[in-house]
Amino acid sequence: MTTFTALTTMTGQDTADALAEALEALVPEPTGIGVFEVEDGSGLWEVGAYFTENPDQAGLAVLAAMHGVKDFTVSEIPDQDWVAKVQRELPPVPAGRFFVYGAHDADKVPADSIPLLIEAAMAFGTGHHGTTLGCLKAVDALAVAGVPMTKVADIGCGTAVLAMAAAHVTDAPIVASDIDPVAVDVAVANVAANGLADRVDCVVAAGFDAPALKERGLYDLVFANILKGPLIAIANDMSQAMQPGGHAILSGILNEQADDVVAHYARYGFNELARDSIVDWTTLTLVKSAS
């Protein structure tokens, strides 16, 4: 069955909520409506509607005009190709030297930036969430400081944006893993679109439990942009998988959870090097002690 999406962005939750409510009266009716904050500190909100038949695009245009927002981007998503088809026209995101953008913004890439092309399909990691943005800024800071990165893993990779960022600042072999096969499909597509297929291996795995991760030896840089619970659960495995002096960039952590995560990782030999809070989310950079 073909699905259709209609997506737009705006400033302010009140406008987003009002538009979402108005969408409920559209004919044909949407099967689902979502509202979420683009958590990069920009103040933007996204409203998305999902349909099982072609939506009334004229009606969508009227609603957008009535609420003073950008026109909806309507996409058709055949079942067999939905990963490649779902696109959000989100604005590009600068993060340190990195510039995360969709194909529709290819003409906006600054000449002095490190470009990361991401088509925002059904996987987490577009740079618009405070967690992804924090991780990009953290790895850029490590690279600028000259921190060695000889083996890199991106655990819970989503779109593989973090793995690709690492590929631009180091020659290290990189493995990107996710428990969700759909996310790995998205990661493979993004890695290929960025010309990094020979640099980043994408695999389905839970935590560090996969031959593709274990056979590479000890890592000196690991990303884990997941959530507090999974981060707590993999702390021991991460310690076993990392070299002394290696760095872990952790996110998916609410601001009020950060101290608990730091304290838990301290039990496994990690010390806090830096933290960055963006809106509601904290990114931690930890270093594994030598003993």
Side-chain angles (χ1 to χ4, degrees), residues 21-35:
E21 183 176 353
L23 282 167
E24 295 177 359
L26 204 64
V27 178
E29 295 180 8
T31 58
I33 299 169
V35 178

Side-chain angles (χ1 to χ4, degrees), residues 158-251:
T159 61
V161 63
L162 302 179
M164 294 191 299
H168 280 286
V169 296
T170 176
D171 294 329
I174 299 166
V175 59
S177 69
D178 203 288
I179 195 171
D180 182 359
V182 169
V184 175
D185 287 343
V186 173
V188 168
N190 281 320
V191 166
N194 284 266
L196 297 170
D198 61 339
R199 297 288 321 285
V200 181
D201 291 335
C202 302
V203 300
V204 178
F208 291 88
D209 187 21
L213 286 159
K214 293 179 178 179
E215 68 191 12
R216 293 170 182 253
L218 298 179
Y219 296 92
D220 53 15
L221 176 62
V222 173
F223 298 100
N225 182 13
I226 41 181
L227 292 170
K228 178 187 174 183
L231 285 172
I232 295 297
I234 67 170
N236 183 51
D237 289 344
M238 186 178 296
S239 179
Q240 297 298 316
M242 291 190 65
Q243 299 210 38
H247 291 77
I249 297 175
L250 312 182
S251 201

Side-chain angles (χ1 to χ4, degrees), residues 9 18 61 75 177 211 245 255 279:
T9 56
S75 300
S177 69
N255 294 337
V279 190

